[in-house]
PDB file of all heavy atoms in Angstrom:
ATOM      1  N   GLU U   1      34.202  -7.347 -61.782  1.00  0.00           N
ATOM      2  CA  GLU U   1      32.804  -7.209 -61.356  1.00  0.00           C
ATOM      3  C   GLU U   1      32.408  -5.727 -61.288  1.00  0.00           C
ATOM      4  O   GLU U   1      31.315  -5.335 -61.686  1.00  0.00           O
ATOM      5  CB  GLU U   1      32.633  -7.874 -59.985  1.00  0.00           C
ATOM      6  CG  GLU U   1      31.231  -8.374 -59.736  1.00  0.00           C
ATOM      7  CD  GLU U   1      31.124  -9.185 -58.453  1.00  0.00           C
ATOM      8  OE1 GLU U   1      32.064  -9.936 -58.129  1.00  0.00           O
ATOM      9  OE2 GLU U   1      30.098  -9.051 -57.778  1.00  0.00           O
ATOM     10  N   VAL U   2      33.336  -4.909 -60.782  1.00  0.00           N
ATOM     11  CA  VAL U   2      33.091  -3.464 -60.715  1.00  0.00           C
ATOM     12  C   VAL U   2      32.880  -2.913 -62.132  1.00  0.00           C
ATOM     13  O   VAL U   2      31.957  -2.134 -62.386  1.00  0.00           O
ATOM     14  CB  VAL U   2      34.278  -2.734 -60.030  1.00  0.00           C
ATOM     15  CG1 VAL U   2      34.102  -1.222 -60.080  1.00  0.00           C
ATOM     16  CG2 VAL U   2      34.433  -3.207 -58.583  1.00  0.00           C
ATOM     17  N   LEU U   3      33.726  -3.353 -63.060  1.00  0.00           N
ATOM     18  CA  LEU U   3      33.651  -2.871 -64.450  1.00  0.00           C
ATOM     19  C   LEU U   3      32.344  -3.254 -65.124  1.00  0.00           C
ATOM     20  O   LEU U   3      31.796  -2.491 -65.912  1.00  0.00           O
ATOM     21  CB  LEU U   3      34.802  -3.448 -65.272  1.00  0.00           C
ATOM     22  CG  LEU U   3      36.153  -2.772 -65.140  1.00  0.00           C
ATOM     23  CD1 LEU U   3      37.163  -3.523 -66.000  1.00  0.00           C
ATOM     24  CD2 LEU U   3      36.095  -1.304 -65.536  1.00  0.00           C
ATOM     25  N   LYS U   4      31.853  -4.455 -64.801  1.00  0.00           N
ATOM     26  CA  LYS U   4      30.588  -4.898 -65.382  1.00  0.00           C
ATOM     27  C   LYS U   4      29.476  -3.923 -65.010  1.00  0.00           C
ATOM     28  O   LYS U   4      28.626  -3.564 -65.807  1.00  0.00           O
ATOM     29  CB  LYS U   4      30.227  -6.308 -64.867  1.00  0.00           C
ATOM     30  CG  LYS U   4      30.412  -7.395 -65.916  1.00  0.00           C
ATOM     31  CD  LYS U   4      29.882  -8.737 -65.415  1.00  0.00           C
ATOM     32  CE  LYS U   4      30.766  -9.288 -64.310  1.00  0.00           C
ATOM     33  NZ  LYS U   4      30.581 -10.688 -63.992  1.00  0.00           N
ATOM     34  N   ASP U   5      29.518  -3.493 -63.758  1.00  0.00           N
ATOM     35  CA  ASP U   5      28.494  -2.602 -63.228  1.00  0.00           C
ATOM     36  C   ASP U   5      28.741  -1.149 -63.640  1.00  0.00           C
ATOM     37  O   ASP U   5      27.817  -0.375 -63.837  1.00  0.00           O
ATOM     38  CB  ASP U   5      28.500  -2.726 -61.698  1.00  0.00           C
ATOM     39  CG  ASP U   5      27.286  -2.076 -61.064  1.00  0.00           C
ATOM     40  OD1 ASP U   5      26.181  -2.618 -61.249  1.00  0.00           O
ATOM     41  OD2 ASP U   5      27.449  -1.038 -60.397  1.00  0.00           O
ATOM     42  N   CYS U   6      30.035  -0.787 -63.734  1.00  0.00           N
ATOM     43  CA  CYS U   6      30.412   0.610 -63.998  1.00  0.00           C
ATOM     44  C   CYS U   6      31.561   0.628 -65.011  1.00  0.00           C
ATOM     45  O   CYS U   6      32.729   0.728 -64.634  1.00  0.00           O
ATOM     46  CB  CYS U   6      30.834   1.256 -62.667  1.00  0.00           C
ATOM     47  SG  CYS U   6      31.354   2.966 -62.829  1.00  0.00           S
ATOM     48  N   PRO U   7      31.239   0.506 -66.317  1.00  0.00           N
ATOM     49  CA  PRO U   7      32.284   0.401 -67.355  1.00  0.00           C
ATOM     50  C   PRO U   7      33.220   1.604 -67.397  1.00  0.00           C
ATOM     51  O   PRO U   7      34.348   1.500 -67.875  1.00  0.00           O
ATOM     52  CB  PRO U   7      31.490   0.305 -68.663  1.00  0.00           C
ATOM     53  CG  PRO U   7      30.092  -0.017 -68.271  1.00  0.00           C
ATOM     54  CD  PRO U   7      29.876   0.470 -66.879  1.00  0.00           C
ATOM     55  N   GLN U   8      32.764   2.744 -66.867  1.00  0.00           N
ATOM     56  CA  GLN U   8      33.622   3.940 -66.918  1.00  0.00           C
ATOM     57  C   GLN U   8      34.551   4.032 -65.702  1.00  0.00           C
ATOM     58  O   GLN U   8      35.240   5.030 -65.519  1.00  0.00           O
ATOM     59  CB  GLN U   8      32.776   5.219 -67.078  1.00  0.00           C
ATOM     60  CG  GLN U   8      31.887   5.589 -65.917  1.00  0.00           C
ATOM     61  CD  GLN U   8      30.545   4.846 -65.904  1.00  0.00           C
ATOM     62  OE1 GLN U   8      30.448   3.714 -66.366  1.00  0.00           O
ATOM     63  NE2 GLN U   8      29.518   5.481 -65.365  1.00  0.00           N
ATOM     64  N   ALA U   9      34.585   2.981 -64.881  1.00  0.00           N
ATOM     65  CA  ALA U   9      35.495   2.969 -63.721  1.00  0.00           C
ATOM     66  C   ALA U   9      36.937   2.768 -64.187  1.00  0.00           C
ATOM     67  O   ALA U   9      37.205   2.001 -65.113  1.00  0.00           O
ATOM     68  CB  ALA U   9      35.098   1.860 -62.754  1.00  0.00           C
ATOM     69  N   ARG U  10      37.861   3.482 -63.550  1.00  0.00           N
ATOM     70  CA  ARG U  10      39.291   3.308 -63.808  1.00  0.00           C
ATOM     71  C   ARG U  10      40.008   3.178 -62.479  1.00  0.00           C
ATOM     72  O   ARG U  10      39.679   3.879 -61.509  1.00  0.00           O
ATOM     73  CB  ARG U  10      39.861   4.515 -64.573  1.00  0.00           C
ATOM     74  CG  ARG U  10      39.325   4.663 -65.996  1.00  0.00           C
ATOM     75  CD  ARG U  10      39.744   3.503 -66.888  1.00  0.00           C
ATOM     76  NE  ARG U  10      39.218   3.588 -68.238  1.00  0.00           N
ATOM     77  CZ  ARG U  10      38.043   3.080 -68.637  1.00  0.00           C
ATOM     78  NH1 ARG U  10      37.244   2.486 -67.754  1.00  0.00           N
ATOM     79  NH2 ARG U  10      37.662   3.169 -69.894  1.00  0.00           N
ATOM     80  N   LEU U  11      40.986   2.298 -62.435  1.00  0.00           N
ATOM     81  CA  LEU U  11      41.725   2.018 -61.210  1.00  0.00           C
ATOM     82  C   LEU U  11      43.169   2.462 -61.388  1.00  0.00           C
ATOM     83  O   LEU U  11      43.847   2.030 -62.319  1.00  0.00           O
ATOM     84  CB  LEU U  11      41.671   0.514 -60.913  1.00  0.00           C
ATOM     85  CG  LEU U  11      42.444  -0.002 -59.708  1.00  0.00           C
ATOM     86  CD1 LEU U  11      41.931   0.606 -58.400  1.00  0.00           C
ATOM     87  CD2 LEU U  11      42.352  -1.534 -59.636  1.00  0.00           C
ATOM     88  N   VAL U  12      43.639   3.348 -60.503  1.00  0.00           N
ATOM     89  CA  VAL U  12      45.027   3.811 -60.567  1.00  0.00           C
ATOM     90  C   VAL U  12      45.747   3.321 -59.320  1.00  0.00           C
ATOM     91  O   VAL U  12      45.360   3.648 -58.193  1.00  0.00           O
ATOM     92  CB  VAL U  12      45.106   5.352 -60.654  1.00  0.00           C
ATOM     93  CG1 VAL U  12      46.560   5.790 -60.840  1.00  0.00           C
ATOM     94  CG2 VAL U  12      44.255   5.882 -61.818  1.00  0.00           C
ATOM     95  N   LEU U  13      46.786   2.506 -59.532  1.00  0.00           N
ATOM     96  CA  LEU U  13      47.558   1.947 -58.420  1.00  0.00           C
ATOM     97  C   LEU U  13      48.837   2.752 -58.243  1.00  0.00           C
ATOM     98  O   LEU U  13      49.681   2.793 -59.137  1.00  0.00           O
ATOM     99  CB  LEU U  13      47.919   0.480 -58.711  1.00  0.00           C
ATOM    100  CG  LEU U  13      46.765  -0.477 -59.020  1.00  0.00           C
ATOM    101  CD1 LEU U  13      47.307  -1.867 -59.351  1.00  0.00           C
ATOM    102  CD2 LEU U  13      45.778  -0.549 -57.855  1.00  0.00           C
ATOM    103  N   PHE U  14      48.967   3.397 -57.092  1.00  0.00           N
ATOM    104  CA  PHE U  14      50.196   4.131 -56.778  1.00  0.00           C
ATOM    105  C   PHE U  14      51.025   3.275 -55.828  1.00  0.00           C
ATOM    106  O   PHE U  14      50.534   2.855 -54.779  1.00  0.00           O
ATOM    107  CB  PHE U  14      49.877   5.466 -56.097  1.00  0.00           C
ATOM    108  CG  PHE U  14      49.205   6.451 -57.009  1.00  0.00           C
ATOM    109  CD1 PHE U  14      47.852   6.714 -56.891  1.00  0.00           C
ATOM    110  CD2 PHE U  14      49.930   7.107 -58.000  1.00  0.00           C
ATOM    111  CE1 PHE U  14      47.223   7.614 -57.740  1.00  0.00           C
ATOM    112  CE2 PHE U  14      49.310   8.011 -58.850  1.00  0.00           C
ATOM    113  CZ  PHE U  14      47.949   8.262 -58.727  1.00  0.00           C
ATOM    114  N   GLY U  15      52.281   3.033 -56.201  1.00  0.00           N
ATOM    115  CA  GLY U  15      53.145   2.257 -55.318  1.00  0.00           C
ATOM    116  C   GLY U  15      54.214   1.544 -56.112  1.00  0.00           C
ATOM    117  O   GLY U  15      54.269   1.616 -57.347  1.00  0.00           O
ATOM    118  N   GLN U  16      55.058   0.847 -55.370  1.00  0.00           N
ATOM    119  CA  GLN U  16      56.098   0.031 -55.998  1.00  0.00           C
ATOM    120  C   GLN U  16      56.407  -1.088 -55.018  1.00  0.00           C
ATOM    121  O   GLN U  16      55.999  -1.029 -53.866  1.00  0.00           O
ATOM    122  CB  GLN U  16      57.338   0.878 -56.279  1.00  0.00           C
ATOM    123  CG  GLN U  16      57.940   1.503 -55.034  1.00  0.00           C
ATOM    124  CD  GLN U  16      59.027   2.533 -55.338  1.00  0.00           C
ATOM    125  OE1 GLN U  16      59.141   3.022 -56.442  1.00  0.00           O
ATOM    126  NE2 GLN U  16      59.820   2.867 -54.334  1.00  0.00           N
ATOM    127  N   GLY U  17      57.137  -2.089 -55.489  1.00  0.00           N
ATOM    128  CA  GLY U  17      57.499  -3.167 -54.567  1.00  0.00           C
ATOM    129  C   GLY U  17      57.661  -4.484 -55.291  1.00  0.00           C
ATOM    130  O   GLY U  17      57.438  -4.579 -56.501  1.00  0.00           O
ATOM    131  N   PRO U  18      58.051  -5.515 -54.525  1.00  0.00           N
ATOM    132  CA  PRO U  18      58.406  -6.810 -55.112  1.00  0.00           C
ATOM    133  C   PRO U  18      57.261  -7.498 -55.864  1.00  0.00           C
ATOM    134  O   PRO U  18      57.503  -8.329 -56.724  1.00  0.00           O
ATOM    135  CB  PRO U  18      58.839  -7.655 -53.899  1.00  0.00           C
ATOM    136  CG  PRO U  18      58.378  -6.915 -52.691  1.00  0.00           C
ATOM    137  CD  PRO U  18      58.264  -5.484 -53.066  1.00  0.00           C
ATOM    138  N   ASP U  19      56.006  -7.143 -55.561  1.00  0.00           N
ATOM    139  CA  ASP U  19      54.879  -7.813 -56.215  1.00  0.00           C
ATOM    140  C   ASP U  19      54.474  -7.189 -57.551  1.00  0.00           C
ATOM    141  O   ASP U  19      53.485  -7.603 -58.156  1.00  0.00           O
ATOM    142  CB  ASP U  19      53.647  -7.813 -55.295  1.00  0.00           C
ATOM    143  CG  ASP U  19      53.722  -8.913 -54.250  1.00  0.00           C
ATOM    144  OD1 ASP U  19      54.776  -9.573 -54.166  1.00  0.00           O
ATOM    145  OD2 ASP U  19      52.732  -9.096 -53.523  1.00  0.00           O
ATOM    146  N   GLU U  20      55.242  -6.207 -58.014  1.00  0.00           N
ATOM    147  CA  GLU U  20      54.799  -5.488 -59.219  1.00  0.00           C
ATOM    148  C   GLU U  20      54.584  -6.427 -60.410  1.00  0.00           C
ATOM    149  O   GLU U  20      53.574  -6.325 -61.116  1.00  0.00           O
ATOM    150  CB  GLU U  20      55.792  -4.382 -59.601  1.00  0.00           C
ATOM    151  CG  GLU U  20      55.303  -3.599 -60.797  1.00  0.00           C
ATOM    152  CD  GLU U  20      56.065  -2.305 -61.039  1.00  0.00           C
ATOM    153  OE1 GLU U  20      56.724  -1.790 -60.107  1.00  0.00           O
ATOM    154  OE2 GLU U  20      55.992  -1.801 -62.179  1.00  0.00           O
ATOM    155  N   GLN U  21      55.505  -7.364 -60.617  1.00  0.00           N
ATOM    156  CA  GLN U  21      55.376  -8.263 -61.776  1.00  0.00           C
ATOM    157  C   GLN U  21      54.129  -9.125 -61.663  1.00  0.00           C
ATOM    158  O   GLN U  21      53.397  -9.321 -62.636  1.00  0.00           O
ATOM    159  CB  GLN U  21      56.624  -9.151 -61.936  1.00  0.00           C
ATOM    160  CG  GLN U  21      57.812  -8.432 -62.564  1.00  0.00           C
ATOM    161  CD  GLN U  21      57.436  -7.427 -63.644  1.00  0.00           C
ATOM    162  OE1 GLN U  21      57.494  -6.210 -63.452  1.00  0.00           O
ATOM    163  NE2 GLN U  21      57.000  -7.933 -64.796  1.00  0.00           N
ATOM    164  N   SER U  22      53.852  -9.635 -60.462  1.00  0.00           N
ATOM    165  CA  SER U  22      52.672 -10.502 -60.326  1.00  0.00           C
ATOM    166  C   SER U  22      51.390  -9.685 -60.450  1.00  0.00           C
ATOM    167  O   SER U  22      50.376 -10.176 -60.953  1.00  0.00           O
ATOM    168  CB  SER U  22      52.716 -11.295 -59.017  1.00  0.00           C
ATOM    169  OG  SER U  22      52.705 -10.421 -57.917  1.00  0.00           O
ATOM    170  N   ILE U  23      51.428  -8.426 -60.029  1.00  0.00           N
ATOM    171  CA  ILE U  23      50.258  -7.548 -60.194  1.00  0.00           C
ATOM    172  C   ILE U  23      50.017  -7.298 -61.684  1.00  0.00           C
ATOM    173  O   ILE U  23      48.894  -7.428 -62.180  1.00  0.00           O
ATOM    174  CB  ILE U  23      50.457  -6.222 -59.423  1.00  0.00           C
ATOM    175  CG1 ILE U  23      50.319  -6.478 -57.920  1.00  0.00           C
ATOM    176  CG2 ILE U  23      49.461  -5.161 -59.885  1.00  0.00           C
ATOM    177  CD1 ILE U  23      50.706  -5.297 -57.032  1.00  0.00           C
ATOM    178  N   ARG U  24      51.098  -6.992 -62.417  1.00  0.00           N
ATOM    179  CA  ARG U  24      50.958  -6.786 -63.872  1.00  0.00           C
ATOM    180  C   ARG U  24      50.428  -8.050 -64.549  1.00  0.00           C
ATOM    181  O   ARG U  24      49.571  -7.980 -65.444  1.00  0.00           O
ATOM    182  CB  ARG U  24      52.313  -6.410 -64.494  1.00  0.00           C
ATOM    183  CG  ARG U  24      52.727  -4.972 -64.201  1.00  0.00           C
ATOM    184  CD  ARG U  24      53.984  -4.568 -64.978  1.00  0.00           C
ATOM    185  NE  ARG U  24      54.442  -3.255 -64.552  1.00  0.00           N
ATOM    186  CZ  ARG U  24      53.919  -2.103 -64.965  1.00  0.00           C
ATOM    187  NH1 ARG U  24      52.919  -2.105 -65.840  1.00  0.00           N
ATOM    188  NH2 ARG U  24      54.385  -0.944 -64.520  1.00  0.00           N
ATOM    189  N   ALA U  25      50.931  -9.194 -64.106  1.00  0.00           N
ATOM    190  CA  ALA U  25      50.504 -10.466 -64.707  1.00  0.00           C
ATOM    191  C   ALA U  25      49.014 -10.707 -64.429  1.00  0.00           C
ATOM    192  O   ALA U  25      48.272 -11.151 -65.316  1.00  0.00           O
ATOM    193  CB  ALA U  25      51.342 -11.618 -64.144  1.00  0.00           C
ATOM    194  N   GLN U  26      48.566 -10.405 -63.217  1.00  0.00           N
ATOM    195  CA  GLN U  26      47.151 -10.601 -62.880  1.00  0.00           C
ATOM    196  C   GLN U  26      46.256  -9.671 -63.710  1.00  0.00           C
ATOM    197  O   GLN U  26      45.196 -10.072 -64.190  1.00  0.00           O
ATOM    198  CB  GLN U  26      46.911 -10.364 -61.376  1.00  0.00           C
ATOM    199  CG  GLN U  26      45.498 -10.750 -60.930  1.00  0.00           C
ATOM    200  CD  GLN U  26      45.267 -10.524 -59.433  1.00  0.00           C
ATOM    201  OE1 GLN U  26      46.188 -10.185 -58.694  1.00  0.00           O
ATOM    202  NE2 GLN U  26      44.031 -10.713 -58.994  1.00  0.00           N
ATOM    203  N   VAL U  27      46.710  -8.426 -63.894  1.00  0.00           N
ATOM    204  CA  VAL U  27      45.959  -7.466 -64.712  1.00  0.00           C
ATOM    205  C   VAL U  27      45.814  -8.006 -66.146  1.00  0.00           C
ATOM    206  O   VAL U  27      44.719  -7.999 -66.719  1.00  0.00           O
ATOM    207  CB  VAL U  27      46.664  -6.079 -64.718  1.00  0.00           C
ATOM    208  CG1 VAL U  27      46.089  -5.179 -65.803  1.00  0.00           C
ATOM    209  CG2 VAL U  27      46.541  -5.416 -63.351  1.00  0.00           C
ATOM    210  N   ALA U  28      46.923  -8.509 -66.692  1.00  0.00           N
ATOM    211  CA  ALA U  28      46.898  -9.028 -68.066  1.00  0.00           C
ATOM    212  C   ALA U  28      46.015 -10.276 -68.159  1.00  0.00           C
ATOM    213  O   ALA U  28      45.187 -10.399 -69.069  1.00  0.00           O
ATOM    214  CB  ALA U  28      48.322  -9.353 -68.515  1.00  0.00           C
ATOM    215  N   ARG U  29      46.180 -11.175 -67.184  1.00  0.00           N
ATOM    216  CA  ARG U  29      45.440 -12.442 -67.177  1.00  0.00           C
ATOM    217  C   ARG U  29      43.931 -12.195 -67.085  1.00  0.00           C
ATOM    218  O   ARG U  29      43.125 -12.908 -67.661  1.00  0.00           O
ATOM    219  CB  ARG U  29      45.907 -13.260 -65.964  1.00  0.00           C
ATOM    220  CG  ARG U  29      45.620 -14.742 -66.033  1.00  0.00           C
ATOM    221  CD  ARG U  29      46.338 -15.502 -64.928  1.00  0.00           C
ATOM    222  NE  ARG U  29      46.023 -15.017 -63.595  1.00  0.00           N
ATOM    223  CZ  ARG U  29      46.907 -14.480 -62.747  1.00  0.00           C
ATOM    224  NH1 ARG U  29      48.164 -14.324 -63.120  1.00  0.00           N
ATOM    225  NH2 ARG U  29      46.541 -14.079 -61.545  1.00  0.00           N
ATOM    226  N   THR U  30      43.572 -11.161 -66.338  1.00  0.00           N
ATOM    227  CA  THR U  30      42.153 -10.883 -66.096  1.00  0.00           C
ATOM    228  C   THR U  30      41.551 -10.055 -67.235  1.00  0.00           C
ATOM    229  O   THR U  30      40.339  -9.845 -67.273  1.00  0.00           O
ATOM    230  CB  THR U  30      41.999 -10.114 -64.751  1.00  0.00           C
ATOM    231  OG1 THR U  30      42.926 -10.657 -63.809  1.00  0.00           O
ATOM    232  CG2 THR U  30      40.619 -10.287 -64.163  1.00  0.00           C
ATOM    233  N   GLY U  31      42.413  -9.547 -68.127  1.00  0.00           N
ATOM    234  CA  GLY U  31      41.913  -8.771 -69.267  1.00  0.00           C
ATOM    235  C   GLY U  31      41.376  -7.400 -68.887  1.00  0.00           C
ATOM    236  O   GLY U  31      40.442  -6.893 -69.499  1.00  0.00           O
ATOM    237  N   ILE U  32      41.986  -6.786 -67.868  1.00  0.00           N
ATOM    238  CA  ILE U  32      41.475  -5.486 -67.398  1.00  0.00           C
ATOM    239  C   ILE U  32      42.477  -4.349 -67.659  1.00  0.00           C
ATOM    240  O   ILE U  32      42.339  -3.259 -67.110  1.00  0.00           O
ATOM    241  CB  ILE U  32      41.117  -5.540 -65.885  1.00  0.00           C
ATOM    242  CG1 ILE U  32      42.296  -6.102 -65.069  1.00  0.00           C
ATOM    243  CG2 ILE U  32      39.858  -6.350 -65.645  1.00  0.00           C
ATOM    244  CD1 ILE U  32      42.059  -6.139 -63.550  1.00  0.00           C
ATOM    245  N   GLU U  33      43.458  -4.614 -68.566  1.00  0.00           N
ATOM    246  CA  GLU U  33      44.526  -3.608 -68.785  1.00  0.00           C
ATOM    247  C   GLU U  33      43.992  -2.226 -69.121  1.00  0.00           C
ATOM    248  O   GLU U  33      44.541  -1.224 -68.670  1.00  0.00           O
ATOM    249  CB  GLU U  33      45.475  -3.998 -69.938  1.00  0.00           C
ATOM    250  CG  GLU U  33      46.282  -5.230 -69.714  1.00  0.00           C
ATOM    251  CD  GLU U  33      45.700  -6.421 -70.452  1.00  0.00           C
ATOM    252  OE1 GLU U  33      44.453  -6.537 -70.520  1.00  0.00           O
ATOM    253  OE2 GLU U  33      46.488  -7.203 -70.986  1.00  0.00           O
ATOM    254  N   SER U  34      42.934  -2.162 -69.941  1.00  0.00           N
ATOM    255  CA  SER U  34      42.491  -0.847 -70.416  1.00  0.00           C
ATOM    256  C   SER U  34      41.918   0.006 -69.279  1.00  0.00           C
ATOM    257  O   SER U  34      41.835   1.220 -69.403  1.00  0.00           O
ATOM    258  CB  SER U  34      41.456  -1.000 -71.530  1.00  0.00           C
ATOM    259  OG  SER U  34      40.327  -1.677 -71.017  1.00  0.00           O
ATOM    260  N   SER U  35      41.557  -0.629 -68.169  1.00  0.00           N
ATOM    261  CA  SER U  35      40.934   0.138 -67.079  1.00  0.00           C
ATOM    262  C   SER U  35      41.845   0.293 -65.863  1.00  0.00           C
ATOM    263  O   SER U  35      41.436   0.863 -64.851  1.00  0.00           O
ATOM    264  CB  SER U  35      39.632  -0.532 -66.651  1.00  0.00           C
ATOM    265  OG  SER U  35      39.916  -1.756 -66.002  1.00  0.00           O
ATOM    266  N   VAL U  36      43.067  -0.228 -65.926  1.00  0.00           N
ATOM    267  CA  VAL U  36      43.974  -0.162 -64.771  1.00  0.00           C
ATOM    268  C   VAL U  36      45.255   0.583 -65.160  1.00  0.00           C
ATOM    269  O   VAL U  36      45.799   0.369 -66.240  1.00  0.00           O
ATOM    270  CB  VAL U  36      44.344  -1.581 -64.258  1.00  0.00           C
ATOM    271  CG1 VAL U  36      45.298  -1.507 -63.071  1.00  0.00           C
ATOM    272  CG2 VAL U  36      43.081  -2.353 -63.854  1.00  0.00           C
ATOM    273  N   ARG U  37      45.707   1.477 -64.275  1.00  0.00           N
ATOM    274  CA  ARG U  37      46.984   2.173 -64.491  1.00  0.00           C
ATOM    275  C   ARG U  37      47.912   1.843 -63.321  1.00  0.00           C
ATOM    276  O   ARG U  37      47.505   1.999 -62.164  1.00  0.00           O
ATOM    277  CB  ARG U  37      46.792   3.691 -64.512  1.00  0.00           C
ATOM    278  CG  ARG U  37      45.647   4.200 -65.365  1.00  0.00           C
ATOM    279  CD  ARG U  37      46.057   4.378 -66.813  1.00  0.00           C
ATOM    280  NE  ARG U  37      44.979   4.915 -67.604  1.00  0.00           N
ATOM    281  CZ  ARG U  37      44.023   4.173 -68.184  1.00  0.00           C
ATOM    282  NH1 ARG U  37      44.004   2.865 -68.022  1.00  0.00           N
ATOM    283  NH2 ARG U  37      43.083   4.741 -68.922  1.00  0.00           N
ATOM    284  N   LEU U  38      49.127   1.425 -63.621  1.00  0.00           N
ATOM    285  CA  LEU U  38      50.147   1.304 -62.576  1.00  0.00           C
ATOM    286  C   LEU U  38      50.990   2.575 -62.659  1.00  0.00           C
ATOM    287  O   LEU U  38      51.749   2.763 -63.608  1.00  0.00           O
ATOM    288  CB  LEU U  38      51.003   0.055 -62.778  1.00  0.00           C
ATOM    289  CG  LEU U  38      50.476  -1.201 -62.056  1.00  0.00           C
ATOM    290  CD1 LEU U  38      49.213  -1.703 -62.722  1.00  0.00           C
ATOM    291  CD2 LEU U  38      51.533  -2.296 -62.034  1.00  0.00           C
ATOM    292  N   ALA U  39      50.825   3.450 -61.680  1.00  0.00           N
ATOM    293  CA  ALA U  39      51.382   4.802 -61.793  1.00  0.00           C
ATOM    294  C   ALA U  39      52.665   4.994 -60.991  1.00  0.00           C
ATOM    295  O   ALA U  39      53.167   6.113 -60.889  1.00  0.00           O
ATOM    296  CB  ALA U  39      50.328   5.818 -61.357  1.00  0.00           C
ATOM    297  N   GLY U  40      53.191   3.893 -60.424  1.00  0.00           N
ATOM    298  CA  GLY U  40      54.466   3.991 -59.712  1.00  0.00           C
ATOM    299  C   GLY U  40      54.357   4.715 -58.385  1.00  0.00           C
ATOM    300  O   GLY U  40      53.268   5.069 -57.921  1.00  0.00           O
ATOM    301  N   PHE U  41      55.497   4.927 -57.753  1.00  0.00           N
ATOM    302  CA  PHE U  41      55.542   5.628 -56.466  1.00  0.00           C
ATOM    303  C   PHE U  41      55.532   7.126 -56.722  1.00  0.00           C
ATOM    304  O   PHE U  41      56.243   7.615 -57.591  1.00  0.00           O
ATOM    305  CB  PHE U  41      56.816   5.241 -55.706  1.00  0.00           C
ATOM    306  CG  PHE U  41      57.035   6.069 -54.473  1.00  0.00           C
ATOM    307  CD1 PHE U  41      56.301   5.828 -53.318  1.00  0.00           C
ATOM    308  CD2 PHE U  41      57.946   7.116 -54.477  1.00  0.00           C
ATOM    309  CE1 PHE U  41      56.485   6.611 -52.181  1.00  0.00           C
ATOM    310  CE2 PHE U  41      58.141   7.900 -53.343  1.00  0.00           C
ATOM    311  CZ  PHE U  41      57.405   7.637 -52.198  1.00  0.00           C
ATOM    312  N   ARG U  42      54.711   7.877 -55.988  1.00  0.00           N
ATOM    313  CA  ARG U  42      54.683   9.338 -56.128  1.00  0.00           C
ATOM    314  C   ARG U  42      54.814   9.964 -54.751  1.00  0.00           C
ATOM    315  O   ARG U  42      54.171   9.511 -53.806  1.00  0.00           O
ATOM    316  CB  ARG U  42      53.322   9.785 -56.706  1.00  0.00           C
ATOM    317  CG  ARG U  42      52.953   9.184 -58.044  1.00  0.00           C
ATOM    318  CD  ARG U  42      53.655   9.830 -59.197  1.00  0.00           C
ATOM    319  NE  ARG U  42      53.357  11.248 -59.302  1.00  0.00           N
ATOM    320  CZ  ARG U  42      53.114  11.858 -60.449  1.00  0.00           C
ATOM    321  NH1 ARG U  42      53.101  11.183 -61.585  1.00  0.00           N
ATOM    322  NH2 ARG U  42      52.880  13.160 -60.483  1.00  0.00           N
ATOM    323  N   ASN U  43      55.657  11.002 -54.656  1.00  0.00           N
ATOM    324  CA  ASN U  43      55.735  11.689 -53.359  1.00  0.00           C
ATOM    325  C   ASN U  43      54.953  13.006 -53.388  1.00  0.00           C
ATOM    326  O   ASN U  43      55.061  13.818 -52.485  1.00  0.00           O
ATOM    327  CB  ASN U  43      57.192  11.912 -52.924  1.00  0.00           C
ATOM    328  CG  ASN U  43      57.964  12.702 -53.959  1.00  0.00           C
ATOM    329  OD1 ASN U  43      57.372  13.225 -54.902  1.00  0.00           O
ATOM    330  ND2 ASN U  43      59.272  12.791 -53.796  1.00  0.00           N
ATOM    331  N   ASP U  44      54.154  13.197 -54.460  1.00  0.00           N
ATOM    332  CA  ASP U  44      53.374  14.440 -54.562  1.00  0.00           C
ATOM    333  C   ASP U  44      51.868  14.152 -54.550  1.00  0.00           C
ATOM    334  O   ASP U  44      51.063  14.912 -55.089  1.00  0.00           O
ATOM    335  CB  ASP U  44      53.748  15.206 -55.844  1.00  0.00           C
ATOM    336  CG  ASP U  44      53.532  14.380 -57.114  1.00  0.00           C
ATOM    337  OD1 ASP U  44      53.326  13.149 -57.013  1.00  0.00           O
ATOM    338  OD2 ASP U  44      53.555  14.966 -58.207  1.00  0.00           O
TER     339      ASP U  44
END
């Protein structure tokens, strides 16, 4: 819905954990891969 309104929006997810596979699956299922980045855990 955000993308419909703002196509230039990008979402960067910082983190890690047991739900990573289901998050990736939801991103793929929803067809939003090009606008979402899973950037892993960062301490900087």
